[in-house]
């Protein structure tokens, strides 16, 4: 490792540094991915811009329209423990945050870092996709918002320009009163796992019991976190009975483009994708039945 | 790069390269060897320390990230004559074998107990709290028992 | 009896370990922590290819880098080949590299980062050669030979070697052909186990410093300091008396720190640079170039009669040594004793082959051979039970050895407790009450193991305050074995455990010990301490006799005093008196665990034909399998282990709980994965050791069926607990799912999709 370290104390200063060093610079949030990638030689930035002294980048707050704004530097631990995710419609995010590494990593690792790192196996990303998250970016041209599924372009690649800072993740309000989400993960161990497959789902039901909106997203089965629109389409407008859920799960498995690697074969990943997708959707329904919905 | 931080309750100022981790500062610059070194990728947890009271992996924490903050290492917890209640519980319950993971285990336990004051954790909660630190000797059982006992002792005050 | 109090006050009690406070406070200095002023840091350049000819090795550019102080390659060291069973291992690759990870050069520099950069700056050009990556392929007639000069290597005389076969051994007796011909049923299965890393949390590390007079001191985390001393002397071509090996502290070993790892590189670099040099492994080096458990392929054929009695067993073990034999010949051969298991086997014909391949030179991870062979035999026992419609417990009880039966080498078995272990483990897990439940099952496995021999010497000195120092060359790797030995000494001297201090392993100052291996330390050092204690009692009673005028026989040691004839003289008084008048109280003790007699016609070319002071054990597990994901959740785990006598139940439980955790890793998650001779998971992200959430609570049942030789009847306890978990878990998975996995680790993928993907 060898780099110059910068510690701007304002967003403007951070942007100026980014503009000056361009692709030679990387932003440092918690560093739990970045430092390992630098040490493994996968990244070799000449400049590291530590964002921890920039005010206002951490914290979770409600938005006027009833959504949530999660500062990019909010730690995974803060998400895990925040009441906004303790139950109800956004529970999937806490469930995902809670299974990233050990407490050591979650006390430092940030949601923004997780998003910018854009690992196809990242646990928080399917949950964020299920919750219709948007990335909020600030750059020389001002602030812009990008839906997360458009933001994630490939392994380690996002729509963020080198001179932009990811400042927050925004979650819109759930579209119906009956909404629940769930996150599930499969790995070789019960903790400290990079997911072999992970899945997040959200279901919103109308007063007639029909599905107003469905979201299903999978991790570690494609070059990016995969939102399975085909499965969502099978559910939306219908009563999500067992047959519909099974069809959606099958569609999820069919949509995967997994790899064979040291953690699992493509065939097993596809199998797990179907299993976890079905279970995540069923968990959403179960939670609504338990009166847990938002 | 000049680094100012609080280490085990005392103000420290050191001059270190910008790419150094906290682990390098502790072990190489300050000679604090109780924080152990192994995988260097946040997988084994032997390098665990407390940053503002919460357990972190010193191996992947850049020293710069500690600027102005408070770090506690195992040396800041207790000494052989005045053990911290968690350390005492580890001894009383036979939780220590080779001992290389133990400083990290003790600090992971302290972090969780401080984060959940007064709580008497169940076995599953303790195992979850410790999962970021690998132990290859003990099978964790006596460590889990020690943490439960320490929680009870601390709750009594 | 001979001056010792009759009531046991120290042994058998749950006393705290002697080195605990230093460990919980972070004050304990491990080899990885050790440093000297002016010390340089060494790094090793390792081969990126599994088999290649070295076309060019040029260190000039690296040597010229700022901060680089010295480089050594094969050209700089004596052309020595060293090795445990076969002297086949060079310090650095010479003309060819034989595995990915083999050392090619070592660099010393002012910082580890510079040394690492210098390794990258060394020009190493390799021409790839055809390679073999599994034992079966290495046996093919046209397979490339790893060691074309194999016949010229020195080796243990007992070994039979040829080409890629580093050792071939056999155990046989009875009329196997007739037994198979008359069998009610014959079963044949093939089992496979992978390379698995010992997983010690402290990397291997050494600091070497030469004194002006050609003497070398190495501070390192070896389990065998005296073996290390001898090997370093050989490699460095100096008399062993000039090598001092000190083990400051060791963060686990489990057999992975038995053999020279980085010590020789540190010593060579220190000699080259004239400065102390530290070398410490990275995790990548650990997973490509350490001493993992060898991979095996085991074929086992068994003949049974209508009632499920074993008639004969036939089988072949292929154990992959990797590029160098190391402990492979011994491990392969021991597989045969474990394949017999603690079962009466009227006819037997087993063969074991230790085979070279172009993968890492493997080693002796805790109970080497144990988990692999036990997985085979105990999986097959359950298959037989199911086929015959018998309860697996009943099938085992029908066949287990009993007191006085003959073991596989024809040795008379004593202290046999396997039936009791099975019954107690089964009862605790609720075996007889088990009900079929979807995706939930219970499994059993039993085995036996040795208490390794090898000698131990100790000095014991009584200080004028009445406390004792136990000076031993043994290594406390964490098991608590030396706290156990200290308990034995305290017991025998009428002291409390807190009165005993143990002096650390240092080949210059401590008497010889065969080392921390083979479940022997508490047993062997404990016995040596008893001998020394008897001599000290004689000295103390003689002093008391002189002081009182009573006969020596009138006295015994009790509660820190010499007591008898109405007198009670504190040991401290006599120690002080002796120090003024007689040079102080000092004694030594030595012990070697004798090998039992056996029938040499039953074994061929077996380096370890018979188990000393064998222990017996049974494991029982209750688990469930998620039918969708294949995730295994262990609900209950019971171990009934015959420990002979529990010197300190806490530390024995610690061995059992830790061994089961390792066994769960072996069973479910751990494997060094290779593709075409290269490791795919050389990091702890993808080498999966169990976390606190993967390991269940383990219930230990300590069975005490005494051995004739151990202190108070103790048997070795350290290795056995990791033997049975793979088999017990395999049997429970089969019970839960109706599917059996024949290879380790039994991953979720194999459970759900079957083997072969």
């Amino acid at each position: 490792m060898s780099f110059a370290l910068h510690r701007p104390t304002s967003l403007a200063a951070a942007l100026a540094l980014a503009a000056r060093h361009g692709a030679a610079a990387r932003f440092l949030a918690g560093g739990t991915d970045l430092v390992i990638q630098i040490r493994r030689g996968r990244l070799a930035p000449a400049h590291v811009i530590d964002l921890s002294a920039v005010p206002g980048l951490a914290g979770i707050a409600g938005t006027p329209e009833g959504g949530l704004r999660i500062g990019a530097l909010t730690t995974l631990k803060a998400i895990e423990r925040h009441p906004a995710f303790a139950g109800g419609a956004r529970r999937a995010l806490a469930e995902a945050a809670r299974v990233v590494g050990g407490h050591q990593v979650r006390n430092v690792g940030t949601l923004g870092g997780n998003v910018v790192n854009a690992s196809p196996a990242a646990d928080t990303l399917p949950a964020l996709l299920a919750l219709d998250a948007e990335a909020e970016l600030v750059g020389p041209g001002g602030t812009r918002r990008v839906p997360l599924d458009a933001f994630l372009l490939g392994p380690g690649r996002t729509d963020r320009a080198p001179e932009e800072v990811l400042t927050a993740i925004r979650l819109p309000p759930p579209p119906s009163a009956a909404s629940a989400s769930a996150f599930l993960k499969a790995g070789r161990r019960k903790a400290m796992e990079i997911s072999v497959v992970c899945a997040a789902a959200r279901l919103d039901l109308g007063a007639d019991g029909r599905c107003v909106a469905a979201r299903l997203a999978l991790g570690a089965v494609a070059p990016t976190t995969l939102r399975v629109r085909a499965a969502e389409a099978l559910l939306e407008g219908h009563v999500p009975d067992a047959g519909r859920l099974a069809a959606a799960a099958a569609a999820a498995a069919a949509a995967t483009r997994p790899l064979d690697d040291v953690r699992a074969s493509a065939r097993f990943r596809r199998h797990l994708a179907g299993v976890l997708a079905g279970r995540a959707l069923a968990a959403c329904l179960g939670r609504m039945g338990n009166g847990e919905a938002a | 790069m000049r680094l100012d931080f609080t280490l085990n309750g005392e103000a420290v100022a050191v001059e270190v390269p910008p790419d150094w981790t906290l682990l390098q500062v502790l072990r190489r610059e300050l000679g604090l060897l109780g924080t152990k070194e192994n995988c260097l990728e946040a997988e084994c947890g032997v390098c665990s320390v407390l940053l503002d009271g919460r357990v972190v992996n010193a191996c992947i924490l850049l020293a710069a990230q500690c600027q102005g903050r408070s770090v506690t290492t195992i040396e800041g917890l207790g000494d052989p004559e005045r053990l911290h209640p968690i350390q005492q519980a580890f001894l009383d319950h036979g939780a220590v074998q080779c001992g290389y993971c133990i400083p990290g285990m003790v600090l992971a336990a302290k972090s969780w107990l401080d984060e959940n004051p007064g709580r008497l954790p169940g076995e599953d909660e303790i195992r979850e709290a410790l999962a970021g630190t690998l132990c290859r000797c003990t099978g964790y059982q006596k460590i889990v028992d020690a943490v439960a006992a320490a929680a009870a002792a601390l709750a009594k005050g | 009896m001979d001056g010792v109090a009759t009531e046991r006050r120290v042994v058998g009690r749950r006393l705290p370990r002697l080195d605990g406070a230093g460990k919980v406070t972070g004050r304990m200095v491990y080899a990885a922590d050790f440093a000297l002023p002016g010390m340089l840091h060494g790094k090793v350049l390792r081969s990126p290819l599994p088999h290649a000819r070295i076309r060019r090795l040029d260190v000039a550019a690296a040597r010229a880098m700022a901060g680089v102080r010295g480089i050594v390659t094969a050209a700089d060291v004596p052309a020595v080949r060293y090795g445990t069973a076969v002297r086949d291992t060079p310090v650095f690759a010479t003309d060819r590299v034989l595995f990915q990870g083999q050392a090619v050069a070592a660099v010393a520099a002012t910082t580890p980062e510079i040394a690492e950069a210098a390794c990258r700056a060394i020009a190493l050009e390799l021409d790839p050669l055809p390679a073999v990556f599994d034992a079966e392929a290495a046996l093919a007639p046209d397979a490339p030979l790893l060691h074309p000069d194999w016949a010229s290597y020195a080796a243990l005389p007992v070994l039979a070697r040829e080409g890629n076969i580093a050792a071939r051994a056999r155990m046989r007796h009875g009329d196997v052909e007739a037994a198979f011909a008359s069998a009610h049923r014959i079963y044949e299965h093939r089992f496979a186990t992978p390379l698995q890393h010992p997983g010690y949390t402290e990397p291997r590390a050494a600091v070497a410093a030469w004194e002006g007079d050609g003497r070398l001191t190495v501070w390192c985390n070896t389990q065998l300091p005296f073996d290390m001393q001898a090997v370093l002397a050989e490699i460095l071509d100096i008399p062993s008396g000039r090598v001092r090996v000190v083990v400051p502290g060791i963060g686990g070993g489990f057999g992975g720190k038995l053999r020279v790892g980085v010590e020789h590189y540190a010593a060579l670099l220190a000699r080259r640079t004239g400065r102390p040099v530290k070398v410490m492994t990275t995790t990548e080096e650990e997973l490509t170039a350490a001493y993992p458990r060898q991979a095996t392929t085991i074929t086992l054929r068994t003949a049974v009669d209508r009632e499920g009695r074993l008639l004969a067993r036939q089988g072949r073990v292929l154990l992959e040594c990797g590029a160098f034999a190391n402990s492979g010949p011994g491990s392969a051969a021991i597989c045969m004793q474990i394949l017999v298991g603690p079962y009466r086997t009227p006819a037997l014909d087993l063969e074991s082959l230790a085979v070279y391949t172009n993968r890492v030179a493997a080693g002796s991870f805790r109970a080497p051979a144990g988990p692999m062979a036990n997985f085979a035999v105990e999986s097959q026992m359950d298959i037989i039970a199911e086929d015959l419609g018998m309860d697996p417990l009943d099938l085992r009880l029908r066949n287990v050895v009993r007191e006085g039966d003959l073991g596989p080498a024809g040795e008379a078995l004593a202290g046999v407790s396997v039936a009791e272990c099975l019954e107690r483990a089964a009862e605790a897990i609720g075996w007889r009450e088990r009900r079929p439940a979807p995706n939930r099952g219970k499994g059993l496995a039993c085995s036996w193991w040795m208490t390794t021999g090898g000698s131990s010497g100790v000095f014991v000195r009584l200080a004028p305050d009445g406390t004792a120092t136990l000076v031993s060359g043994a290594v406390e790797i964490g098991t608590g074995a030396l706290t156990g030995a200290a308990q034995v000494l305290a017991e025998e001297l009428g002291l409390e455990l807190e009165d005993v201090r143990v002096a650390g392993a240092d080949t210059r100052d401590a008497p010889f010990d065969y080392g921390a291996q083979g479940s022997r330390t508490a047993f062997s050092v404990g016995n040596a301490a008893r001998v020394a204690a008897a001599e000290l009692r004689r000295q103390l009673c003689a002093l008391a006799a002189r002081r009182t005028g009573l006969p020596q026989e009138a006295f015994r040691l009790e509660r820190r005093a010499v007591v008898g004839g109405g007198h009670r003289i504190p040991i401290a008084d006599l120690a002080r008196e002796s120090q003024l008048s007689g040079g102080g109280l000092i004694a030594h003790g030595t012990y070697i665990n004798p090998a039992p007699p056996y029938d040499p016609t039953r074994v061929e070319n077996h380096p370890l034909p018979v188990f000393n002071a064998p222990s017996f054990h049974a494991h029982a597990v209750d688990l469930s399998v998620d039918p969708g994901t294949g995730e295994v959740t262990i609900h209950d785990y019971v171990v009934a282990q015959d420990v002979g006598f529990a010197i300190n139940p806490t530390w024995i439980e610690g061995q059992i709980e830790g061994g089961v955790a390792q066994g769960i890793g072996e069973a479910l998650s751990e494997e060094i994965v290779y593709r075409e001779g290269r490791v795919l998971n050389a990091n702890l992200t993808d080498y999966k050791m169990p976390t606190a959430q993967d390991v269940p609570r383990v219930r230990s049942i300590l069975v005490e069926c005494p051995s004739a030789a151990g202190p108070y009847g103790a048997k070795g306890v350290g290795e056995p607990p990791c033997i049975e978990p793979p088999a017990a878990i395999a049997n429970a998975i089969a019970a839960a799912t109706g599917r059996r996995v024949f290879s380790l680790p039994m991953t979720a993928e194999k459970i759900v999709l079957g083997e072969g993907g």
Side-chain angles (χ1 to χ4, degrees):
Chain A
M1 297 201 298
S2 176
F3 48 76
L5 196 120
H6 308 273
R7 200 157 185 270
T9 52
S10 71
L11 192 56
L15 290 169
L17 282 163
R20 190 179 322 142
H21 299 296
R26 294 293 297 206
F27 287 115
L28 173 75
T32 53
D33 281 308
L34 183 67
V35 174
I36 291 172
Q37 296 205 41
I38 294 174
R39 194 177 274 131
R40 285 191 179 182
R42 288 188 194 153
L43 293 175
H47 299 270
V48 169
I49 304 167
D50 177 8
L51 293 173
S52 63
V54 175
L57 287 182
I60 300 167
T63 62
E65 60 271 26
L68 281 179
R69 183 181 180 279
I70 308 169
L73 261 59
T74 306
T75 62
L76 298 170
K77 175 62 75 64
I79 290 167
E80 178 187 338
R81 291 179 70 90
H82 196 279
F85 310 106
R90 298 179 179 121
R91 183 167 161 190
L93 188 59
E95 290 178 317
R98 189 179 304 131
V99 293
V100 177
H103 284 259
Q104 287 93 330
V105 165
R106 305 203 295 280
N107 280 330
V108 183
T110 66
L111 187 65
N114 229 227
V115 169
V116 171
N117 189 47
S119 162
D123 290 317
T124 56
L125 298 184
L128 289 174
L129 285 181
L131 301 180
D132 290 333
E134 283 183 329
E136 176 195 288
L137 298 135
V138 177
T143 302
R144 67 181 179 117
R145 293 195 204 167
V146 189
L148 193 66
D149 53 353
F151 184 72
L152 302 169
L153 300 179
R157 288 197 307 118
T158 67
D159 183 46
R160 186 186 67 87
E163 61 278 4
E164 283 182 310
V165 174
L166 176 78
T167 47
I169 298 296
R170 286 174 167 270
L171 303 181
S176 78
S179 178
S181 70
F183 171 87
L184 293 169
K185 143 176 195 169
R188 195 173 279 199
R189 288 187 297 208
K190 297 190 191 300
M192 297 295 287
E193 277 292 87
I194 290 182
S195 285
V196 170
V197 172
C198 57
R202 192 189 93 223
L203 286 179
D204 301 330
L205 298 188
D208 60 357
R210 284 173 199 275
C211 180
V212 178
R215 292 291 180 272
L216 183 62
L218 300 168
V221 294
T224 61
T225 308
L226 186 68
R227 184 167 156 199
V228 193
R229 289 175 197 274
E232 295 169 2
L234 286 168
L235 296 163
E236 288 178 351
H238 300 276
V239 174
D241 55 18
R244 285 273 153 194
L245 259 49
T256 60
R257 286 168 285 147
L259 291 177
D260 282 309
D261 67 13
V262 70
R263 295 173 195 143
S265 71
R267 191 175 150 228
F268 189 50
R269 283 204 164 95
R270 188 168 290 124
H271 165 85
L272 285 175
V275 170
L276 295 187
R279 288 183 184 179
L281 289 167
C284 293
L285 282 181
R287 286 170 184 184
M288 281 187 273
N290 292 338
E292 209 191 283
Chain B
M1 179 189 83
R2 186 186 151 98
L3 174 67
D4 291 278
F5 68 117
T6 303
L7 177 59
N8 296 330
E10 288 177 21
V12 173
V14 287
E15 194 64 37
V16 295
D19 57 353
W20 271 28
T21 60
L22 176 61
L23 185 65
Q24 285 170 303
V25 173
L26 292 174
R27 285 178 66 90
R28 277 208 222 173
E29 183 68 25
L30 300 173
L32 288 179
L33 299 169
T35 308
K36 299 303 179 190
E37 177 174 339
N38 182 23
C39 78
L40 301 181
E41 294 195 344
E43 293 286 350
C44 75
V46 302
C47 66
S48 296
V49 300
L50 304 183
L51 177 66
D52 292 336
R54 295 291 173 262
V55 69
V56 300
N57 296 115
C59 71
I60 59 160
L61 189 73
L62 292 179
Q65 293 175 274
C66 302
Q67 187 68 43
R69 300 177 74 176
S70 171
V71 171
T72 305
T73 68
I74 193 69
E75 288 89 350
L77 221 58
D79 59 50
E81 278 67 49
R82 285 181 308 277
L83 295 176
H84 185 277
I86 299 173
Q87 293 169 317
Q88 186 64 51
F90 271 59
L91 284 191
D92 294 345
H93 288 265
V96 181
Q97 289 191 29
C98 89
Y100 200 74
C101 73
I102 292 299
M105 281 290 183
V106 167
L107 291 170
K110 181 169 189 335
S111 176
W112 195 95
L113 293 173
D114 290 349
E115 201 175 349
N116 299 277
R119 187 168 171 79
L120 296 180
E123 175 154 356
D124 289 348
E125 279 177 295
I126 297 174
R127 289 181 182 274
E128 195 276 334
L130 302 178
T133 309
L134 293 177
C135 172
R136 194 62 157 175
C137 294
T138 65
Y140 305 103
Q141 185 158 321
K142 296 192 190 304
I143 293 176
V144 169
D145 293 345
V147 174
L154 289 166
K156 254 187 246 158
Chain C
M1 48 170 253
D2 192 22
V4 69
T6 47
E7 175 207 4
R8 282 177 191 161
R9 303 184 59 256
V10 189
V11 295
R13 288 181 54 207
R14 294 178 176 273
L15 297 173
R17 63 183 307 130
L18 295 174
D19 55 6
K23 288 178 172 177
V24 290
T25 55
R27 264 61 166 187
M28 172 96 170
V29 173
Y30 295 81
D33 304 325
F34 196 84
L36 290 174
M39 184 176 85
L40 300 173
H41 297 269
K43 288 281 174 186
V44 181
L45 173 68
R46 296 179 180 278
S47 169
L49 295 183
H51 194 195
R53 188 164 301 285
I54 300 176
R55 179 165 16 98
R56 177 164 169 256
L57 175 62
D58 185 346
V59 302
R63 183 67 193 84
M65 287 171 64
V68 172
R69 293 288 179 269
I71 300 179
V72 286
T73 69
D76 306 301
V77 299
V80 175
R81 284 185 186 266
Y82 61 93
T84 308
V86 182
R87 292 174 183 272
D88 56 5
T89 315
V91 175
F92 294 107
T94 50
D95 58 328
R96 284 181 305 141
V97 291
L98 299 184
F99 72 96
Q100 179 214 18
Q102 186 177 1
V104 175
V107 179
T110 49
T111 71
E113 292 77 18
I114 294 174
E116 222 164 72
C119 283
R120 286 194 296 272
I122 292 174
L124 173 65
E125 292 173 17
L126 299 172
D127 295 324
L129 292 169
V132 281
F133 303 128
D134 73 76
E136 198 75 66
L139 294 178
D142 58 345
L145 278 188
L146 272 279
H147 297 276
D149 299 331
W150 66 269
S152 70
Y153 296 161
L156 296 178
V158 68
L159 301 184
R161 303 182 295 131
E162 189 181 359
N164 283 338
I165 299 173
R168 181 199 294 269
R170 204 161 178 186
M171 296 190 91
R172 56 179 159 172
H173 66 262
D175 190 339
V176 174
E177 261 181 48
F180 274 94
S182 69
H184 169 64
R185 287 259 204 289
I186 293 170
Y187 302 91
E188 180 168 344
H189 300 95
R190 194 179 143 102
F191 301 88
T193 68
L195 288 160
Q196 294 176 322
H197 192 274
Y200 35 77
T201 49
E202 183 206 19
R204 289 173 295 156
V207 176
W210 292 81
E211 291 162 45
D213 57 355
R215 287 174 190 276
L216 168 71
T217 304
V218 179
W219 292 264
C220 60
N221 45 21
T222 180
Q223 295 175 237
L224 310 182
F226 290 90
D227 186 61
M228 183 64 64
Q229 178 188 32
V231 172
L232 287 176
E234 242 179 89
I235 290 172
L236 299 163
D237 196 20
I238 57 174
S240 66
R242 293 210 183 145
V243 179
R244 177 185 175 199
V245 174
V246 185
V247 182
I250 173 167
F254 316 112
K257 292 175 179 170
L258 294 174
R259 312 295 172 208
V260 65
V262 292
E263 295 85 353
H264 48 339
Y265 305 129
L268 288 162
L269 288 169
R271 184 151 76 178
R272 168 56 59 100
T273 60
R275 301 255 298 263
V277 175
K278 178 171 187 172
V279 182
M280 182 154 128
T281 54
T282 63
T283 300
E284 187 178 357
E285 285 177 296
E286 283 298 332
L287 286 156
T288 52
Y291 297 112
R293 184 183 295 290
Q294 302 102 340
T296 64
T297 308
I298 295 173
T299 309
L300 186 61
R301 239 180 127 225
T302 300
V304 300
D305 71 11
R306 204 171 294 277
E307 282 75 45
R309 266 182 292 269
L310 301 176
L311 300 176
R313 277 200 155 125
Q314 208 172 32
R316 188 167 84 143
V317 174
L318 288 185
L319 177 140
E320 191 191 334
C321 304
F324 304 106
N326 200 348
S327 354
S331 300
I334 299 169
C335 273
M336 296 190 288
Q337 278 107 317
I338 299 302
L339 276 184
V340 176
Y343 296 116
R344 290 173 170 165
T345 313
L348 184 72
D349 185 2
L350 299 176
E351 181 188 41
S352 73
L353 286 81
V355 183
Y356 290 119
T357 66
N358 293 108
R359 299 207 298 170
V360 64
S364 326
F365 175 6
R366 193 176 190 170
M372 307 91 112
N374 187 253
F375 173 60
V377 62
E378 289 294 89
S379 291
Q380 195 183 55
M381 288 302 276
D382 263 41
I383 296 170
I384 295 170
E386 190 185 356
D387 185 63
L388 295 178
M390 286 182 72
D391 184 300
L393 174 61
D394 294 335
L395 178 74
R396 287 179 171 81
L397 290 173
R398 180 158 298 175
N399 286 288
V400 288
V401 288
R402 308 280 170 167
E403 191 74 15
D405 280 357
L406 295 187
E411 73 276 27
L413 297 174
V416 178
S417 53
V418 60
E420 182 183 351
C421 291
L422 273 166
E423 279 159 353
R424 292 183 67 178
E427 188 189 344
I429 206 83
W431 182 261
R432 298 288 185 196
E433 300 84 54
R434 71 193 192 285
R435 301 265 174 283
N439 307 311
R440 184 150 180 169
K442 293 179 182 176
L444 282 176
C446 63
S447 192
W448 70 317
W449 191 250
M450 73 193 97
T451 309
T452 301
S455 75
S456 289
V458 300
F459 301 142
V460 179
R461 198 188 66 195
L462 286 180
D465 62 355
T467 63
T469 304
L470 172 64
V471 184
S472 160
V475 174
E476 174 54 74
I477 52 170
T479 60
L482 289 184
T483 293
Q487 281 179 261
V488 171
L489 182 67
E491 183 74 51
E492 298 281 316
L493 291 175
L495 298 176
E496 300 298 327
L497 178 60
E498 70 205 49
D499 300 331
V500 179
R501 280 287 159 272
V502 178
D506 180 337
T507 59
R508 189 188 65 186
D509 304 335
F512 175 79
D513 188 271
Y514 188 59
Q517 58 180 331
S519 309
R520 61 174 294 281
T521 301
F523 184 102
S524 208
V525 179
N527 269 338
R530 291 185 89 182
V531 173
E535 167 59 18
L536 282 170
R537 284 199 306 272
R538 193 194 60 70
Q539 293 177 23
L540 284 162
C541 292
L543 287 174
R546 200 168 70 195
R547 192 186 271 206
T548 59
L550 292 171
Q552 206 170 306
E553 297 69 37
F555 293 98
R556 66 188 185 280
L557 272 61
E558 201 176 280
R559 295 179 191 247
R560 295 173 169 150
V562 181
V563 179
H567 298 275
R568 187 181 183 284
I569 310 168
I571 288 174
D573 287 4
L574 295 172
R576 252 192 320 273
E577 179 185 319
S578 171
Q579 197 157 300
L580 292 170
S581 62
L585 292 168
I586 183 163
H588 81 276
T590 61
Y591 178 76
I592 183 156
N593 184 5
Y598 66 98
D599 175 359
T601 66
R602 290 179 168 218
V603 294
E604 292 167 33
N605 306 110
H606 195 317
L608 290 151
V610 61
F611 282 7
N612 287 13
S615 63
F616 298 88
H617 8 87
H619 291 210
V621 60
D622 174 11
L623 56 75
S624 50
V625 179
D626 182 319
T629 64
E631 182 181 351
V632 172
T633 300
I634 299 173
H635 306 294
D636 193 10
Y637 201 106
V638 178
V639 175
Q641 180 168 334
D642 177 9
V643 301
F645 170 77
I647 294 172
N648 188 325
T650 297
W651 304 112
I652 292 175
E653 288 166 4
Q655 287 305 291
I656 291 173
E657 292 156 12
V660 169
Q662 290 181 356
I664 288 170
E666 293 165 350
L668 298 176
S669 64
E670 292 182 37
E671 174 177 16
I672 301 177
V673 182
Y674 275 80
R675 184 177 298 154
E676 290 301 304
R678 296 200 219 192
V679 178
L680 298 183
N681 58 341
N683 55 65
L684 294 188
T685 308
D686 284 312
Y687 186 81
K688 307 278 193 188
M689 291 185 277
T691 71
Q693 288 183 269
D694 295 287
V695 179
R697 186 158 281 276
V698 174
R699 293 191 282 146
S700 298
I701 299 169
L702 306 188
V703 175
E704 293 185 313
C705 176
S707 75
Y712 312 99
K715 297 175 177 176
V717 301
E719 291 168 294
C722 80
I723 295 174
E724 287 98 331
I729 291 169
N731 290 338
I733 289 171
T737 64
R739 292 195 209 181
R740 181 166 290 280
V741 181
F742 290 86
S743 66
L744 300 181
M746 297 175 281
T747 58
E749 176 160 357
K750 291 179 190 171
I751 293 169
V752 172
L753 298 185
E755 286 164 282

